Amino acid sequence: KDGVLRIGTEGDAPKFSMADPSGNVTGFDADIANGICAELKLKCEFVVQTFSSLVPSMDSDRFDVIISGLGITAERQKKIDYSIPYATTPLYFVVAKDSPLAGLKSLPEIEKAIEGKSVGVATGTTYAKFIEKRMPGVELKTYDAVTQQTADLASGRIDVAFGDSPTWMDFLATPDGANFAKIDVRIMAMDAPDVLGHGMGIGMRKGNTELKAKVDAALCKMVDDGKVKEASMQWFQDDYTIPCKK
Amino acid sequence: MLAEFWILMVERGWALALLRGSAVTIAIGLLGMFLGFVVATPLAVLRWQKVAVVSQLVDSYSIVVRGVPGLLVIYLLFFGSVDMVKTVATAFGYQDSVDNAYPYIVGVIAIAAISCAYSIEVIRGALQAVPYGLLEAAKSLALPTGITFSRITFPLALRLALGGINNVWQMTIKDTSLISVIGLQELMRTAAIGAGITRSPFIFYCIAAALFFGMTAVSQTLFSRAERALNRGFGAR
Amino acid sequence: MNLDIVTYAIPFLLVGAKTTLLIALFGIVLGFPFGIVVGLGRGSKNRVLRNICDSYCAIFRGTPMLVQIFIIYYGLAQVSFIRHNPVLWWLIGEGLNAAILAVVLNTGAYTAEIFRTAFLSLPKGLIEAAEACGMSPWHVFTRVKFPLALRQALPAYSSEAAIVVKESSLASTITVLEITGYAKRLMSETFAIMDIFIITAALYLAMNVVALTALKLLERRLSFVR
Amino acid sequence: MNEVLKVHELTKAFGSTNVLDGISFRMKEGEVISLIGSSGCGKSTALRCINFLETPTSGQIEFLGQEISVSCNKRGESEIVNASYIRAFRQRIGMVFQNFNLWPHRTVLGNVTVALVYALKMTRKEAEEVALSALSKVGMASFRDRYPHQLSGGQQQRVAFARVLAMRPKLMLCDEPTSALDPELVGEVLKVIRTLAEEGATILLVTHEMRFARDVSNRMIFLQEGRLEQDDTPEELLRNPATEGVKRFLSNVMPASAQRRLATTTTIKG
Amino acid sequence: MNEVLKVHELTKAFGSTNVLDGISFRMKEGEVISLIGSSGCGKSTALRCINFLETPTSGQIEFLGQEISVSCNKRGESEIVNASYIRAFRQRIGMVFQNFNLWPHRTVLGNVTVALVYALKMTRKEAEEVALSALSKVGMASFRDRYPHQLSGGQQQRVAFARVLAMRPKLMLCDEPTSALDPELVGEVLKVIRTLAEEGATILLVTHEMRFARDVSNRMIFLQEGRLEQDDTPEELLRNPATEGVKRFLSNVMPASAQRRLATTTTIKG
Ligand SMILES: Nc1ncnc2c1ncn2[C@@H]1O[C@H](COP(=O)(O)OP(=O)(O)OP(=O)(O)O)[C@@H](O)[C@H]1O
Ligand SMILES: Nc1ncnc2c1ncn2[C@@H]1O[C@H](COP(=O)(O)OP(=O)(O)OP(=O)(O)O)[C@@H](O)[C@H]1O
Ligand SMILES: [Mg+2]
Ligand SMILES: [Mg+2]
């Protein structure tokens, strides 16, 4: 549609994409979206949809792009096109404070210690795939929502939770989270690009090269300008930006 | 807990959103149930009468629709038709209204299609259980077919079907949550969003459950009243 | 549809299908008698029992099953008494057990309603004939009331069986990897939403066609008048 | 007098057993015929075939000049010719069922008025008047607001009779209309049937009470295992049983005293 | 002879209408009593109260020395004392229903065996033998594998009778057990009842056929509007009606000839 960029987003992902009661979307994804719109001189129009209908909806032209913290993987690229990656979140393991795992210092140590333990991750994420591939000896449990994952962590059904940094920031601050701690090993997409992908990108219909060129340019500009960093600092108190490769 | 509740619901305005969601749920649930029932009745009659071919078609419809997840019905109805509808609408210059209204229309149709499949079985079962002699009595008195149905068969069958219809209704009102996949913010989806971004799933889901419970409590009293009315003449038990 | 995705997805989904079948089977096998007992309770002369059964049905039919399964799995897990009671913890600690429990409780409520009306509509004289023979309440039930009620309830109950198969998909929200659990994973891995969804639906349909056809045959076998 | 009903070679089989085996008889206006025979000989089935509640296997039924015939096609299925007449038949043929078949969800009055309003297109007021007069003929007017399950067996039977009576059918098929009635009421029903016949109705009734049959009917038809064995005036049939079957049936029917009287007459004739 | 049944001041009201109004009578072993009276006088209700299918409003029933009594409490509800006896009562009291109540999902044989197997704890084989002998007594053995809806009215009634017969109850309550039967079969049933009584069973039966009642019973009880008007031997009751009600009822009951005979006897006595 003329003069409007329609953006599909989940709306129920804390810090990334949050639809408030009146339907406005805020969060990191929303800031990126607004930035892109500003660059392209278009009006942003958000369409909030459940994750499972985002892709089919975009295919049937309910909106033009998906900005919902989508991780870029080779597998997914068969189905949709991605913009350049613009950010990536560091991943952490979380365990009980008194667990022997709490003091581990490197990924190989963790990989060894975690054998036979039950690990919770969010369903269908790149990091779920990561655990599955790299640590086949664990008992993997998948959750639809982070709140469910942390609830099971708190009730002791899982020994270890694995997820992105923003999640843990929130959880560790709650009363439930007080007994838990991050293992101080920061895992980034670049550590295992084959499974963890290449960071977050904006999803577009396959073959829409014109739009992709425009969005890529706009994103690159935002990265270079520090707009992405600004948003990242605001929501995550950390800089998750991936530099734009020209 | 209470303070948190107050902040979320009133200050951050979630109460209103949940009520809006309830309104969508009730509207689509009622419309879907009503449409489904209206269509199911004649189909169930055809099935009951074992009308050749039609009866097999009705059977297949009911088996397939009851057999697949409701989500698929909605997916196929919506994503299978939206492109075409959009092209047509754009050609006539109604793109905006179609963009906004179409999901609702499909939502109602999908819910109706599902509840219809369930209603068919309920009504058919009830029709089969009506003692045949009572219908023969109507036949022998030369009551017109329509009257036989509306005055004798249907009231007698309805009494037997009421429990099943109540079940279908309770299921339908909750099935409305499926329409969230085509972008409608009904009660469950609103609760899910609230639960996700405020990280208070317990509060949101409990409120949603309470709202659903409220709706069905109202409908339950109506059903109980209908049951009493329909049981007149069968003796207290 | 993309053949690669189909061949990739089907092995996973078949593994899931086993779990789905397990949940549905247990759900039906336990939920059916349970529902009938509750249905009888709702028609009982004892006020307290009747009210308990009525409330149970109202609650489990009146609220979304998603919420029920959440409360059973996540909600109850927060109660430390339950966490420390081995029997209770066995029941809800394991995702699979909790899912079966939720399915049984849910289908029980619906089954109860179906059978309550079926029992209510039995011709009074037929039951009196059994009672007049001095048959024990149990035998009056198993030889007369139940066989007659079953025939009337079967069409409506067949729907309930199909619903159980489908609702077992909610187990995926509490970490149980049944069909839908795998499907969700595959969908976000590949983004081939429609393709995977259709395969998934086909699996559910296959199971339900078997279940519904079996029940239809049973219904035909049991029918005695016209 | 006009011919009202002509039954020709009526046959009915359930599966492989023939229940009716080529029955033929005729009824004139104002005639009352009793159908007698032992239990299970096909009396109810015959009545049910006449208004096509049961589809005959073959045969013809002519009612007031309209004919419906049934023939067996090659695949062994019954084919009805002129099925469209069935409604018309039923509008003028009333049937009192052996087991009453009152509608449980309607009051006594409601049971009687429905057909008046919807089949005969009376207004509700007219219908109620007609219904009440029919009900009072069988002594049931004061029960107008009861539901069937609140009635005794005999009361239900009388309502079922009134339901048909109120329709003023040209032909009335009564399947044991007095089985649950005490002798006093049987007498009342007998009176009602006589009046009806005088007013031009034709009545075919199944009964086990020989006395009632003899008192009320112009002719008696005896069925045995689906065959029509005798069709005669009551006097003739009682006096001159045509076959062994009739003779044996009658020998059990009549009480000792009556048998003696019958025996005398027959010996005189023989 | 032992007393089998004692009914004392049995009262039953539906809502505000009294259907039974303080009925009392006794039955000895081997006795056959006919309950007569016009339609709706409370005969079926009386039978149903005796085995508590209907809860009486008040009164006592004593069966083989065990007593169940019903009294009206302050809130106007009926309270049964010794309700736990009811099962025991029913196991030894058989009931033939006015409308048969055969179980539609069971074959003829199945209908008869169920109670034998589950109430009397016979083995299946024993039960089938007993059932078949009961069925053949009423001429229904060859229909053993039919379902009730495949039977004629009279056939159903005979199965219902056999179902109770097979249980060899101490007391049999029969609600018009011959209403759908032809006179030949009535005679058969009469024989069966006589044999039963000789073997020590006690039979309380409701019937409209005065001749049958007179032939089969030791005593007749006449009910009118829920009151017991006369309890006498058949001869006495027929010859000497105690009240106007009985007299009027009988005047309609007897056919012209019988009436004449009755009239002669009464005039002689008068
Ligand atoms: N549930 C009820 N509510 C109100 N009245 C009833 C109910 N059941 C029976 N009655 C009335 O009680 C009276 C006695 O009924 P009952 O069935 O005992 O009669 P009956 O002597 O067996 O008559 P019949 O010979 O016609 O079978 C009847 O007048 C009937 O209308
Ligand atoms: N659906 C059926 N299937 C098989 N046989 C049947 C069916 N209905 C009736 N019959 C048989 O047909 C015969 C005639 O039945 P019908 O009801 O006409 O007898 P009837 O003369 O009315 O006897 P009654 O005086 O006992 O009522 C009976 O022997 C019965 O067993
Ligand atoms: Mg008959
Ligand atoms: Mg009676």
Side-chain angles (χ1 to χ4, degrees):
Chain A
K1 243 183 337 180
D2 295 340
V4 176
L5 184 67
R6 291 165 309 160
I7 295 145
T9 187
E10 280 175 274
D12 58 356
K15 296 196 184 233
F16 285 94
S17 163
M18 302 183 289
D20 73 2
S22 44
N24 304 316
V25 182
T26 54
F28 181 67
D29 287 336
D31 286 356
I32 298 290
N34 287 323
I36 301 258
C37 290
E39 290 292 335
L40 300 179
K41 309 219 164 37
L42 294 169
K43 210 169 134 286
C44 260
E45 193 181 286
F46 288 98
V47 180
V48 178
Q49 297 247 287
T50 51
F51 173 77
S52 59
S53 59
L54 280 177
V55 175
S57 290
M58 184 170 73
D59 281 343
S60 61
D61 197 28
R62 304 264 300 151
F63 37 74
D64 308 304
V65 296
I66 301 174
I67 305 181
S68 205
L70 298 185
I72 304 171
T73 69
E75 192 64 41
R76 291 171 175 177
Q77 271 170 330
K78 289 181 191 159
K79 217 53 198 180
I80 60 171
D81 279 352
Y82 277 100
S83 69
I84 55 167
Y86 55 89
T88 179
T89 49
L91 303 166
Y92 288 98
F93 288 94
V94 167
V95 293
K97 270 188 178 144
D98 51 10
S99 155
L101 273 64
L104 298 179
K105 287 283 177 284
S106 71
L107 189 55
E109 271 177 26
I110 295 176
E111 280 178 6
K112 224 163 87 203
I114 213 169
E115 276 281 321
K117 297 245 186 307
S118 56
V119 180
V121 290
T123 309
T125 51
T126 49
Y127 32 101
K129 197 83 190 163
F130 173 73
I131 300 281
E132 207 184 320
K133 275 267 160 66
R134 295 283 286 265
M135 302 160 209
V138 304
E139 186 195 335
L140 188 66
K141 288 197 175 174
T142 55
Y143 295 87
D144 287 353
V146 171
T147 42
Q148 295 165 14
Q149 186 187 4
T150 54
D152 259 9
L153 187 64
S155 68
R157 284 195 183 104
I158 51 177
D159 307 315
V160 183
F162 184 53
D164 57 13
S165 168
T167 307
W168 303 135
M169 257 160 46
D170 278 359
F171 171 64
L172 296 176
T174 62
D176 268 348
N179 301 324
F180 297 90
K182 289 198 285 201
I183 300 179
D184 197 15
V185 176
R186 180 178 160 112
I187 298 158
M188 298 294 285
M190 303 64 140
D191 296 340
D194 54 326
V195 277
L196 285 179
H198 313 282
M200 288 179 262
I202 296 175
M204 280 162 288
R205 265 190 299 284
K206 263 214 140 348
N208 201 345
T209 43
E210 188 192 343
L211 183 64
K212 177 172 159 50
K214 278 199 245 170
V215 169
D216 279 353
L219 260 180
C220 208
K221 184 136 180 289
M222 285 171 67
V223 171
D224 290 347
D225 288 356
K227 286 236 182 69
V228 177
K229 179 176 178 191
E230 196 182 307
S232 171
M233 291 306 288
Q234 186 199 334
W235 293 104
F236 310 124
Q237 290 86 49
D238 198 352
D239 181 10
Y240 294 165
T241 318
I242 293 180
C244 169
K245 288 194 226 88
K246 296 272 157 51
Chain B
M1 178 87 183
L2 259 176
E4 192 189 347
F5 180 82
W6 176 261
I7 292 171
L8 286 176
M9 288 304 132
V10 181
E11 290 178 14
R12 292 179 59 187
W14 280 105
L16 215 61
L18 287 169
L19 286 180
R20 248 196 331 261
S22 307
V24 174
T25 290
I26 292 175
I28 296 203
L30 275 178
L31 269 174
M33 180 71 196
F34 176 75
L35 258 177
F37 188 77
V38 166
V39 176
T41 307
L43 292 182
V45 171
L46 292 173
R47 173 67 186 74
W48 169 55
Q49 292 288 344
K50 304 212 169 76
V51 178
V53 187
V54 184
S55 169
Q56 274 81 24
L57 287 179
V58 172
D59 247 6
S60 328
Y61 169 79
S62 114
I63 287 191
V64 169
V65 174
R66 287 185 302 154
V68 299
L71 220 45
L72 184 77
V73 177
I74 293 181
Y75 264 129
L76 291 183
L77 274 180
F78 187 73
F79 295 117
S81 68
V82 73
D83 284 344
M84 195 187 69
V85 170
K86 191 165 226 163
T87 332
V88 174
T90 313
F92 288 94
Y94 286 115
Q95 191 179 357
D96 271 350
S97 36
V98 166
D99 262 359
N100 297 329
Y102 193 63
Y104 285 93
I105 296 172
V106 171
V108 170
I109 292 177
I111 295 298
I114 296 170
S115 81
C116 175
Y118 287 96
S119 297
I120 287 175
E121 288 308 305
V122 169
I123 301 170
R124 174 181 74 86
L127 286 172
Q128 277 171 357
V130 174
Y132 199 72
L134 300 180
L135 305 185
E136 284 189 334
K139 271 194 203 168
S140 79
L141 289 167
L143 287 186
T145 322
I147 297 295
T148 304
F149 187 74
S150 67
R151 305 288 147 151
I152 310 291
T153 322
F154 193 67
L156 288 169
L158 195 59
R159 166 173 173 267
L160 304 175
L162 206 63
I165 292 172
N166 192 357
N167 271 355
V168 174
W169 158 245
Q170 307 234 12
M171 191 200 70
T172 302
I173 186 102
K174 285 175 274 158
D175 266 359
T176 53
S177 65
L178 299 175
I179 59 174
S180 64
V181 299
I182 52 176
L184 299 183
Q185 305 273 341
E186 44 63 59
L187 179 51
M188 267 316 260
R189 173 69 176 149
T190 313
I193 292 180
I197 69 179
T198 65
R199 303 222 153 134
S200 312
F202 196 70
I203 290 184
F204 275 93
Y205 284 122
C206 282
I207 291 176
L211 286 170
F212 271 115
F213 187 71
M215 297 174 206
T216 51
V218 172
S219 72
Q220 182 61 51
T221 55
L222 297 180
F223 271 101
S224 300
R225 208 171 295 170
E227 187 176 314
R228 269 197 300 278
L230 287 169
N231 269 322
R232 216 173 27 203
F234 289 87
R237 231 194 314 155
Chain C
M1 211 186 277
N2 188 331
L3 208 65
D4 285 350
I5 288 175
V6 176
T7 48
Y8 174 65
I10 281 187
F12 286 104
L13 293 176
L14 283 181
V15 173
K18 261 188 247 162
T19 314
T20 296
L21 217 53
L22 189 75
I23 298 173
L25 230 52
F26 269 95
I28 289 172
V29 168
L30 299 175
F32 180 69
F34 176 63
I36 290 171
V37 169
V38 175
L40 284 175
R42 294 186 67 188
S44 128
K45 289 197 186 74
N46 184 327
R47 269 260 295 286
V48 180
L49 180 65
R50 201 171 60 219
N51 286 340
I52 290 175
C53 293
D54 277 350
S55 322
Y56 156 74
C57 284
I59 291 170
F60 278 84
R61 291 194 308 150
T63 58
M65 181 161 165
L66 179 68
V67 177
Q68 293 161 19
I69 210 167
F70 275 3
I71 288 177
I72 288 174
Y73 185 79
Y74 296 113
L76 294 183
Q78 286 173 11
V79 184
S80 76
F81 162 73
I82 293 177
R83 239 178 352 213
H84 294 112
N85 180 317
V87 176
L88 291 177
W89 189 240
W90 171 82
L91 203 57
I92 66 149
E94 233 356 276
L96 186 63
N97 296 355
I100 291 175
L101 177 65
V103 168
V104 167
L105 288 175
N106 191 267
T107 184
Y110 283 92
T111 308
E113 177 71 10
I114 292 172
F115 274 89
R116 183 185 68 87
T117 31
F119 285 127
L120 206 61
S121 62
L122 295 184
K124 223 165 144 186
L126 300 181
I127 297 162
E128 285 179 347
E131 284 170 351
C133 292
M135 280 156 78
S136 66
W138 167 249
H139 284 134
V140 172
F141 177 76
T142 54
R143 303 294 138 180
V144 179
K145 279 192 199 171
F146 177 69
L148 288 168
L150 179 66
R151 285 164 168 83
Q152 208 242 291
L154 216 46
Y157 183 76
S158 71
S159 298
E160 189 47 37
I163 290 173
V164 168
V165 172
K166 290 189 287 176
E167 299 253 273
S168 69
S169 67
L170 288 174
S172 68
T173 61
I174 55 170
T175 76
V176 179
L177 280 175
E178 32 67 276
I179 298 182
T180 302
Y182 277 110
K184 278 182 191 163
R185 202 157 116 187
L186 291 165
M187 282 184 202
S188 42
E189 261 173 36
T190 63
F191 278 10
I193 309 281
M194 276 310 227
D195 310 44
I196 290 175
F197 201 75
I198 287 173
I199 306 171
T200 308
L203 281 179
Y204 280 113
L205 181 62
M207 289 186 204
N208 275 334
V209 165
V210 172
L212 291 175
T213 313
L215 287 172
K216 189 144 275 182
L217 289 178
L218 179 66
E219 187 190 326
R220 199 168 303 163
R221 228 193 96 95
L222 290 180
S223 72
F224 47 83
V225 194
R226 270 159 257 247
Chain D
M1 262 193 294
N2 310 333
E3 201 160 74
V4 173
L5 180 75
K6 203 161 95 188
V7 175
H8 184 66
E9 287 297 331
L10 186 65
T11 304
K12 172 73 192 175
F14 288 110
S16 60
T17 50
N18 265 10
V19 171
L20 290 180
D21 212 354
I23 288 180
S24 310
F25 64 92
R26 291 154 184 249
M27 290 185 78
K28 297 211 196 70
E29 197 174 50
E31 233 180 357
V32 180
I33 296 191
S34 297
L35 209 54
I36 60 171
S38 59
S39 173
C41 68
K43 305 179 294 295
S44 298
T45 309
L47 293 199
R48 290 165 55 82
C49 282
I50 289 173
N51 68 355
F52 290 89
L53 285 179
E54 209 81 68
T55 306
T57 313
S58 69
Q60 287 131 41
I61 311 274
E62 191 183 313
F63 175 63
L64 297 176
Q66 289 184 317
E67 183 182 290
I68 304 183
S69 66
V70 183
S71 57
C72 214
N73 69 9
K74 274 147 272 159
R75 270 172 301 157
E77 292 156 359
S78 301
E79 262 181 350
I80 304 183
V81 181
N82 285 337
S84 57
Y85 288 170
I86 293 182
R87 264 293 296 297
F89 269 42
R90 288 182 183 156
Q91 244 158 17
R92 313 214 52 200
I93 302 183
M95 168 114 181
V96 184
F97 291 87
Q98 191 165 12
N99 52 354
F100 322 150
N101 287 334
L102 294 181
W103 297 308
H105 62 303
R106 297 200 148 242
T107 59
V108 165
L109 191 63
N111 263 280
V112 184
T113 49
V114 176
L116 300 177
V117 173
Y118 296 107
L120 301 190
K121 312 283 173 209
M122 293 188 189
T123 64
R124 182 153 302 279
K125 206 156 151 288
E126 269 181 292
E128 290 193 356
E129 265 167 36
V130 173
L132 280 176
S133 102
L135 283 170
S136 51
K137 274 190 194 139
V138 291
M140 288 300 296
S142 58
F143 293 85
R144 48 182 291 182
D145 293 325
R146 292 255 191 117
Y147 284 94
H149 80 103
Q150 298 172 315
L151 299 179
S152 78
Q155 288 165 346
Q156 289 181 19
Q157 189 164 48
R158 284 180 279 159
V159 175
F161 190 75
R163 181 166 69 176
V164 175
L165 195 60
M167 297 273 297
R168 307 202 133 273
K170 187 72 195 163
L171 169 63
M172 231 169 127
L173 310 172
C174 303
D175 201 347
E176 307 194 20
T178 58
S179 65
L181 300 184
D182 58 87
E184 182 170 354
L185 286 167
V186 172
E188 304 274 312
V189 170
L190 190 143
K191 263 187 245 160
V192 174
I193 289 182
R194 278 219 185 104
T195 324
L196 282 178
E198 275 157 26
E199 288 167 2
T202 311
I203 292 142
L204 178 59
L205 61 87
V206 171
T207 185
H208 290 309
E209 297 180 62
M210 282 313 127
R211 189 149 302 101
F212 176 67
R214 195 187 53 194
D215 291 353
V216 80
S217 48
N218 306 102
R219 257 164 55 221
M220 282 167 100
I221 293 180
F222 180 82
L223 289 189
Q224 186 170 35
E225 287 172 15
R227 288 184 318 280
L228 194 156
E229 300 257 303
Q230 190 168 3
D231 175 355
D232 244 326
T233 59
E235 292 73 29
E236 264 304 297
L237 190 129
L238 292 174
R239 212 176 286 141
N240 268 335
T243 67
E244 268 312 301
V246 189
K247 205 176 276 170
R248 215 184 39 249
F249 183 78
L250 288 180
S251 76
N252 285 285
V253 164
M254 295 286 116
S257 59
Q259 261 183 47
R260 240 175 292 128
R261 279 181 301 131
L262 264 180
T264 6
T265 19
T266 33
T267 40
I268 288 173
K269 289 205 76 168
Chain E
M1 264 192 293
N2 310 334
E3 200 159 74
V4 173
L5 180 74
K6 205 161 94 186
V7 174
H8 185 67
E9 287 293 334
L10 186 65
T11 304
K12 172 73 192 176
F14 287 109
S16 59
T17 49
N18 265 12
V19 171
L20 291 181
D21 212 355
I23 288 181
S24 311
F25 64 93
R26 289 152 186 250
M27 290 185 79
K28 296 210 198 73
E29 197 173 50
E31 231 179 359
V32 181
I33 295 190
S34 296
L35 209 54
I36 59 171
S38 58
S39 172
C41 70
K43 303 179 295 293
S44 298
T45 309
L47 293 199
R48 291 165 53 80
C49 282
I50 289 174
N51 67 356
F52 291 90
L53 286 179
E54 209 79 71
T55 306
T57 312
S58 70
Q60 286 133 41
I61 312 277
E62 192 183 311
F63 174 64
L64 296 176
Q66 288 185 318
E67 183 181 290
I68 304 182
S69 65
V70 183
S71 57
C72 214
N73 70 9
K74 274 148 273 157
R75 270 173 301 157
E77 291 155 1
S78 301
E79 259 180 355
I80 304 184
V81 183
N82 286 337
S84 56
Y85 288 169
I86 292 181
R87 268 279 303 292
F89 268 43
R90 288 180 180 162
Q91 257 163 10
R92 314 214 51 200
I93 301 183
M95 170 113 181
V96 184
F97 291 86
Q98 189 165 13
N99 51 354
F100 323 151
N101 288 334
L102 295 181
W103 298 305
H105 63 299
R106 296 198 151 242
T107 59
V108 165
L109 191 64
N111 263 280
V112 184
T113 49
V114 175
L116 300 178
V117 174
Y118 298 105
L120 301 190
K121 313 284 170 208
M122 292 188 188
T123 64
R124 183 155 304 278
K125 204 155 152 287
E126 269 182 291
E128 289 193 358
E129 266 168 36
V130 173
L132 280 176
S133 102
L135 282 170
S136 53
K137 275 192 192 138
V138 291
M140 287 299 296
S142 58
F143 293 85
R144 47 183 290 180
D145 293 325
R146 293 257 191 117
Y147 283 91
H149 77 270
Q150 298 172 316
L151 299 179
S152 78
Q155 290 164 344
Q156 289 182 18
Q157 187 164 51
R158 284 180 280 160
V159 175
F161 189 75
R163 179 166 70 176
V164 174
L165 197 59
M167 290 198 59
R168 306 202 135 273
K170 189 71 197 162
L171 170 63
M172 235 171 125
L173 309 172
C174 304
D175 201 347
E176 307 194 17
T178 57
S179 63
L181 301 183
D182 59 87
E184 183 171 355
L185 286 167
V186 172
E188 303 276 311
V189 170
L190 189 143
K191 264 187 246 157
V192 173
I193 288 181
R194 278 219 186 104
T195 326
L196 281 179
E198 274 158 25
E199 288 168 3
T202 312
I203 292 143
L204 179 58
L205 61 88
V206 171
T207 185
H208 289 309
E209 298 180 62
M210 282 313 126
R211 189 150 303 101
F212 177 67
R214 195 187 54 192
D215 291 353
V216 79
S217 50
N218 306 103
R219 257 165 53 220
M220 284 167 100
I221 292 180
F222 180 82
L223 287 189
Q224 186 171 34
E225 288 172 15
R227 287 182 321 279
L228 193 156
E229 298 259 302
Q230 191 167 3
D231 174 354
D232 244 325
T233 59
E235 293 75 29
E236 264 305 295
L237 190 131
L238 291 175
R239 210 175 290 140
N240 266 337
T243 66
E244 268 312 302
V246 189
K247 202 177 274 170
R248 214 183 40 247
F249 183 78
L250 290 180
S251 75
N252 286 285
V253 164
M254 296 284 118
S257 61
Q259 260 184 45
R260 240 177 294 125
R261 280 181 300 131
L262 265 179
T264 6
T265 20
T266 32
T267 38
I268 289 175
K269 290 204 77 171

